Structure formats: structure tokens, C-alpha cells
Amino acid sequence: MDNNELINRIGFIRNRANLSARKLSMEIGKNECYIHRLETSKTFAPTFETLMDILESCNTTTEEFFYYNISAYKQDEEILKLLETASPEKKTAIISLLKLKQ
């Protein structure tokens, strides 16, 4: 994942958590301009520890943050949970149905 994608994902989870850049900066113990500077800079990146603090403040898991399509993660996770309890026959039927829709 390149720096631009990392920054875009931070902005996505911050907005989804309904946090201003200032509020998030303060929650993670940084100066009030930290997140704004992070989201507007092309070269500035958080440390791993700071990224983990950001994820925690935005109620986001590392799995979700690094998922290939972060905006689809929650739906995909829900589908997988439903599939866990489906019988083999139902799973086969779902696969067939999805293949027909392609």
C-alpha cells in the first residue's frame, strides 16, 4: 500500500467515525494540526504506533483497514458470517446464483 492509499484510508475511517481532524489529533495525543497535516501532505506518514492509535480512535480493526476494499469490508464480513452457518447445499446454491449474475 502506498502512502497516498494509506492517507486516503485514514481520511475514510476518520470521516466514517464522524471525527474532525482536530478531534482525532487530540484523541491520539498529537498537536491539533497533526491529522490535517497528515491528510494534506504527500510525504508525511504516521508511525505504526500512531496508526494503531488512529484505528482505535476510529473503532477500526487492522484487518478492516488493510482489507483490499475498505468500503466493502463490513458487508463482506456480514456475508462471510452468514455463510459460516450455511449448509453445503446452500453454499453451492449461492455460488451458482452468483455465477449466473456475472
Side-chain angles (χ1 to χ4, degrees):
M1 173 181 308
D2 68 14
N3 198 47
N4 277 343
E5 179 67 15
L6 181 81
I7 301 308
N8 288 340
R9 286 173 181 247
I10 289 171
F12 176 83
I13 64 169
R14 179 182 64 76
N15 287 317
R16 187 181 65 194
N18 205 23
L19 292 171
S20 68
R22 182 182 183 280
K23 172 92 169 132
L24 180 54
S25 294
M26 302 303 279
E27 281 193 18
I28 63 170
K30 300 290 185 184
N31 73 52
E32 61 185 39
C33 298
Y34 180 85
I35 295 296
H36 175 73
R37 189 175 75 177
L38 177 69
E39 290 181 353
T40 57
S41 173
K42 299 290 184 200
T43 58
F44 183 60
T47 65
F48 181 77
E49 181 179 292
T50 299
L51 178 59
M52 294 300 105
D53 291 341
I54 291 169
L55 297 182
E56 183 177 333
S57 291
C58 293
N59 197 28
T60 302
T61 65
T62 53
E63 179 182 7
E64 178 179 1
F65 187 77
F66 290 106
Y67 191 65
Y68 78 99
N69 183 352
I70 190 171
S71 62
Y73 177 82
K74 291 194 185 289
Q75 271 188 324
D76 291 356
E77 182 182 43
E78 184 178 350
I79 290 168
L80 288 173
K81 284 181 182 177
L82 291 170
L83 286 173
E84 286 175 359
T85 59
S87 69
E89 295 80 18
K90 284 184 181 178
K91 289 177 183 178
T92 300
I94 291 168
I95 290 169
S96 296
L97 177 65
L98 292 173
K99 284 182 178 179
L100 285 175
K101 298 289 181 177
Q102 290 181 351

